Amino acid sequence: MSGSNKNLIVTVLAIIGGIVVLGWLLRITFALLGPLLLIGLGVLIYMMFAKNKGGRL
């Protein structure tokens, strides 16, 4: 195997590895997106009610 051929294989494997890691990150992000949106919505509603009643946060 020549040096440039080895470099090409390493580059291709690095790109494939990067795509796999990116896929896992996107899967985790979308799995957590629902609960995070619900928590954010709950905090927003709580803050609106607390402001309307004149309470301090």
Side-chain angles (χ1 to χ4, degrees):
M1 250 191 191
S2 67
S4 66
N5 204 8
K6 210 173 190 179
N7 266 352
L8 181 66
I9 291 174
V10 168
T11 304
V12 169
L13 287 176
I15 291 172
I16 291 172
I19 290 171
V20 168
V21 168
L22 190 64
W24 275 105
L25 285 176
L26 284 174
R27 182 179 292 176
I28 291 170
T29 301
F30 283 117
L32 294 177
L33 198 59
L36 285 176
L37 280 174
L38 284 176
I39 291 171
L41 196 61
V43 168
L44 192 68
I45 290 172
Y46 171 75
M47 287 173 67
M48 285 173 57
F49 276 123
K51 247 184 208 175
N52 285 342
K53 290 186 177 180
R56 286 187 301 154
L57 285 180

